[in-house]
Amino acid sequence: MDQGTQPRRAARRLRPMLAAVAALGLVLVSAGGVVAHTPTVSLTCQDGLKVSLTAYNAGQGAANTVSVSIDDVPVAGSPFAFAGSYTRQWAVAPATVAHTAKVVVFAWDDPTGSHGWSKTFNLSIIACEQPTPTPTPTPTPSHTATSSASASSSVSTLAPTVAPTPSQAVTLFRPQAT
């Protein structure tokens, strides 16, 4: 055998394997794009509304957007444009009532939502705290009304008596002798 033909045979055997590895790499890169867009959206009593959008593709002249509303009212500044990521949190109040939130994510590279990168999240929570009940007034005990006659007699019996002090002279009436 000629020494020049051996490397050519080895190369011919490696070509199908190299093609398979290249195809596998292409599949993995494509799959990486699918899982790269990571939306995390939650509505809880403790944290309020949390929106975290990571690993989105920044468009060339096109932007990703997210629209946010709480209890059917858009939050100030919504919709928000972002490139590769967006993270924000909003409190929900009062804690004594239920709340809803709607988050609409639009990825420029998935305008129809067919890849699942553009999607709408509808969230809700029940009241986090029960309202403090209004205390029931405690009834005051009723008193029996007294008549004005008995009230005045009780007042007169309570009037202080004044006793003469030793310095005051007491004159006694003495009959005169005739």
Side-chain angles (χ1 to χ4, degrees), residues 76-95:
S78 182
F80 304 97
F82 67 98
S85 66
Y86 178 85
T87 301
R88 185 95 187 256
Q89 184 172 347
W90 294 269
V92 290

Side-chain angles (χ1 to χ4, degrees), residues 11 27 35 44 49 51 121 127 133 159:
V27 169
V35 295
T44 65
L49 176 61
V51 176
F121 297 89

Side-chain angles (χ1 to χ4, degrees), residues 152-168:
S152 63
S153 67
S154 64
V155 170
S156 64
T157 59
L158 296 178
T161 56
V162 179
T165 59
S167 64
Q168 290 178 332

Side-chain angles (χ1 to χ4, degrees), residues 12-160:
R12 268 188 262 156
R13 281 187 236 142
L14 285 177
R15 279 188 194 139
M17 282 197 279
L18 290 174
V21 168
L24 179 62
L26 184 60
V27 169
L28 290 176
V29 168
S30 297
V34 172
V35 295
H37 297 71
T38 309
T40 305
V41 178
S42 64
L43 180 62
T44 65
C45 292
Q46 296 78 17
D47 298 329
L49 176 61
K50 287 176 78 173
V51 176
S52 177
L53 309 171
T54 58
Y56 277 74
N57 294 324
Q60 300 156 344
N64 302 306
T65 61
V66 59
S67 300
V68 180
S69 62
I70 299 174
D71 296 329
D72 295 323
V73 177
V75 299
S78 182
F80 304 97
F82 67 98
S85 66
Y86 178 85
T87 301
R88 185 95 187 256
Q89 184 172 347
W90 294 269
V92 290
T96 54
V97 298
H99 294 282
T100 61
K102 184 175 184 178
V103 178
V104 180
V105 180
F106 175 78
W108 70 269
D109 52 349
D110 184 24
T112 63
S114 61
H115 297 293
W117 307 332
S118 293
K119 60 182 3 178
T120 299
F121 297 89
N122 289 301
L123 308 150
S124 64
I125 55 173
I126 59 170
C128 301
E129 297 174 9
Q130 294 302 314
T132 306
T134 306
T136 306
T138 307
T140 53
S142 61
H143 296 287
T144 308
T146 55
S147 69
S148 60
S150 64
S152 63
S153 67
S154 64
V155 170
S156 64
T157 59
L158 296 178

